[in-house]
Amino acid sequence: MERVIKIKKGLDIPLDGAAVGASVSDTQTSLYGIVPDDYPGYIWKARVKPGDKVKAGDKLMSDKETDSVWLVSPVDGEVAEIRRGARRHIEAIVVKREGGFVADKETTLTDAVSIRTALKESGLWAMMRQRPFDIVPAPDSEPRDIYVTAFDSAPLAGPVITPRLSKWLEKGLEILKHLTSGNVYLAVRSDSRIRSNVAEILTMEGPHPAGNVGVQIANTNPVNKGETVWTLDAATVCRIGLLASEGKCDYTVEVAVTGPAIRNPHFVECGMGISMEGLLRPFEPITGNHLRYISGNVLTGKRVNLKEGFLRWPYRQVTVIEEGDTADEFMGWASMNPKKYSVKRSFPAFLRGLSSPFPFDARIKGGRRAMILSGEYDKVFPFDIYPEYLLKAIIAGDIDRMEQLGIYEVAPEDFALPEFVDTSKMELQKIVREGLDSLRKELS
């Protein structure tokens, strides 16, 4: 069965620096890191110490409460470091590479119990998310439905599935079908050739955020209080299919190195959690000015340090842009420079077409102020809820009002575009994240 969903509200940001060409394998980078903060919903405890030898797929961390959900090493090697912050909080476990990215897992996936166990022990369980709360699913949760996304509509995003893994997609969907009494949905673009006999196909048409799973859920069967929905990308489903078919788990990713500050943007095939310095070593920045390194896209990605940062989960993209703190424009914000982008057509750039690539930098170009109820969020927010009022309820800590206004449907990434167009320059994604965490704490 196939359903066509047309999204009218949204915005495709024309950022310069898209990756092109075939992927290049990375064979030199030696450091890989797993950051537990990328897997919300659990308190993670280290199960290794510096100097331990590990294989790809071996346990690095597990959840402190049940010890049943694992975070695993993406590569054969040796534990080089356990980085800790305040109150001995684990910031990352660093592995020095000595081998490959494929693990052999002796397992048989025949029923829901064996499937759950295999996914938890292979680290694939931690790569899923649940709505509400946008966290790693609880070990005993039962999903109403499962949503799989096979494309990414974020700025400069690359393909979700690599050709090498794509043949395992259907098998992975079959495995997921054992875990829910409801439907398995697979979201694709209208020009996609992906078809399935197991999942219901959702053909998404329209601008970003058409690729966000929250939009796909909202346009099929929104999440209500007391319901749980699992979400994951198609690459993870392919890994599940490979695990079920051949007893192997592949932790390689194809990363799009993008952004207007990169001279030759292209794809790199490497392991999950690759160090940012190692990944970007072959790339020469166009400018020597102060740069911002983002693991992910410019809307939802994590800002990382070039020397100490890693490719964060769930991103398959790195974006490099200028900070803009050394910019010296004539007339400042009032400049009529045709290279200045504006959603509201405040500058003459729209005369050349807003689809032409722009060399964005990290400046917010405005001061923070109180929220303005102007309806500007609604123009890029394809949900049947009132975003301004939901945000105000979160800021006020009004749980009843939050529930009434649809907080169970959303995740921080759904507010990335409203944050981009926001005249008030508020950190909307941070507000939503704090609201979801406080609500989960109150209900637990």
Side-chain angles (χ1 to χ4, degrees):
M1 182 179 175
E2 182 176 355
R3 188 186 310 186
V4 178
I5 299 175
K6 296 182 179 180
I7 304 299
K8 295 183 179 180
K9 294 181 179 181
L11 178 66
D12 288 325
I13 300 175
L15 181 62
D16 195 12
V20 295
S23 63
V24 177
S25 295
D26 179 86
T27 58
Q28 299 180 351
T29 305
S30 61
L31 294 182
Y32 291 77
I34 296 297
V35 180
D37 288 347
D38 293 341
Y39 306 90
Y42 291 87
I43 298 175
W44 298 103
K45 182 176 181 179
R47 298 300 181 182
V48 292
K49 60 183 182 297
D52 286 354
K53 296 289 185 179
V54 293
K55 294 287 188 181
D58 283 357
K59 182 193 299 185
L60 295 180
M61 286 174 273
S62 62
D63 70 290
K64 190 173 183 180
E65 185 174 344
T66 68
D67 196 31
S68 63
V69 181
W70 298 3
L71 300 182
V72 302
S73 173
V75 63
D76 299 341
E78 177 181 315
V79 178
E81 180 186 2
I82 299 180
R83 295 181 185 172
R84 295 184 182 271
R87 299 185 178 180
R88 293 185 57 77
H89 172 72
I90 299 176
E91 295 181 343
I93 293 185
V94 184
V95 178
K96 185 177 181 180
R97 176 186 175 186
E98 297 177 353
F101 308 111
V102 180
D104 291 320
K105 296 285 185 179
E106 296 183 4
T107 184
T108 302
L109 281 64
T110 55
D111 54 25
V113 174
S114 62
I115 292 171
R116 284 172 174 267
T117 300
L119 295 184
K120 293 172 185 175
E121 294 181 352
S122 64
L124 296 175
W125 185 278
M127 297 180 191
M128 298 191 293
R129 293 291 180 270
Q130 78 166 43
R131 300 283 178 107
F133 309 127
D134 189 39
I135 59 174
V136 176
D140 56 351
S141 66
E142 298 286 344
R144 183 202 70 193
D145 299 304
I146 299 177
Y147 285 78
V148 179
T149 304
F151 74 99
D152 191 344
S153 60
L156 304 183
V160 172
I161 312 175
T162 60
R164 186 168 51 82
L165 286 175
S166 59
K167 62 181 178 180
W168 307 112
L169 178 62
E170 186 71 359
K171 181 63 177 179
L173 293 171
E174 293 176 6
I175 296 298
L176 291 178
K177 189 65 178 176
H178 286 84
L179 300 178
T180 178
S181 57
N183 293 326
V184 176
Y185 295 96
L186 177 63
V188 301
R189 277 293 196 192
S190 57
D191 58 354
S192 173
R193 298 181 180 179
I194 297 175
R195 292 294 178 265
S196 174
N197 295 320
V198 177
E200 181 176 341
I201 301 293
L202 302 178
T203 301
M204 306 298 297
E205 297 180 358
H208 183 68
N212 284 10
V213 69
V215 176
Q216 298 153 16
I217 296 172
N219 284 273
T220 51
N221 191 1
V223 181
N224 298 309
K225 185 176 182 178
E227 297 178 336
T228 299
V229 167
W230 290 357
T231 69
L232 65 164
D233 62 27
T236 303
V237 178
C238 292
R239 294 187 182 97
I240 294 173
L242 175 61
L243 179 64
S245 299
E246 297 192 0
K248 297 180 181 294
C249 201
D250 192 334
Y251 300 100
T252 59
V253 290
E254 185 178 74
V255 182
V257 180
T258 66
I262 293 294
R263 188 177 300 278
N264 182 28
H266 63 260
F267 297 94
V268 178
E269 188 178 86
C270 55
M272 297 177 182
I274 187 172
S275 72
M276 193 63 60
E277 184 178 24
L279 176 62
L280 295 179
R281 188 179 296 119
F283 297 88
E284 181 183 358
I286 292 176
T287 173
N289 292 340
H290 192 195
L291 301 178
R292 177 171 296 193
Y293 301 92
I294 304 169
S295 177
N297 61 74
V298 291
L299 292 175
T300 64
K302 302 288 197 310
R303 182 182 180 181
V304 296
N305 183 284
L306 177 62
K307 299 294 184 182
E308 299 180 353
F310 300 96
L311 178 69
R312 306 285 291 271
W313 179 260
Y315 302 109
R316 299 170 301 277
Q317 175 185 356
V318 169
T319 311
V320 184
I321 61 177
E322 289 195 51
E323 286 286 358
D325 50 4
T326 59
D328 185 14
E329 288 184 301
F330 175 68
M331 297 180 66
W333 64 269
S335 168
M336 291 292 103
N337 188 337
K339 293 184 178 181
K340 295 183 72 170
Y341 176 87
S342 175
V343 176
K344 301 177 178 65
R345 298 191 174 189
S346 302
F347 302 100
F350 73 89
L351 295 174
R352 78 177 209 189
L354 292 182
S355 61
S356 302
F358 283 76
F360 287 83
D361 57 36
R363 290 176 291 169
I364 63 173
K365 298 183 179 179
R368 292 184 173 88
R369 57 183 69 86
M371 185 182 296
I372 301 171
L373 295 179
S374 62
E376 62 185 353
Y377 299 167
D378 293 321
K379 297 177 182 178
V380 296
F381 191 72
F383 290 78
D384 190 22
I385 61 178
Y386 297 104
E388 290 98 340
Y389 293 100
L390 174 58
L391 289 164
K392 283 179 174 288
I394 294 173
I395 294 171
D398 188 340
I399 291 179
D400 291 339
R401 190 71 171 152
M402 289 157 56
E403 291 180 334
Q404 294 169 3
L405 290 168
I407 193 170
Y408 293 111
E409 295 185 42
V410 299
E413 68 175 9
D414 299 320
F415 284 80
L417 273 179
E419 184 176 290
F420 176 75
V421 304
D422 185 17
T423 305
S424 301
K425 311 300 180 183
M426 299 182 67
E427 296 180 291
L428 305 186
Q429 295 181 78
K430 181 180 179 182
I431 292 171
V432 174
R433 179 76 270 169
E434 292 174 350
L436 291 170
D437 290 344
S438 65
L439 178 61
R440 182 165 64 92
K441 183 178 180 181
E442 186 71 23
L443 296 179
S444 62

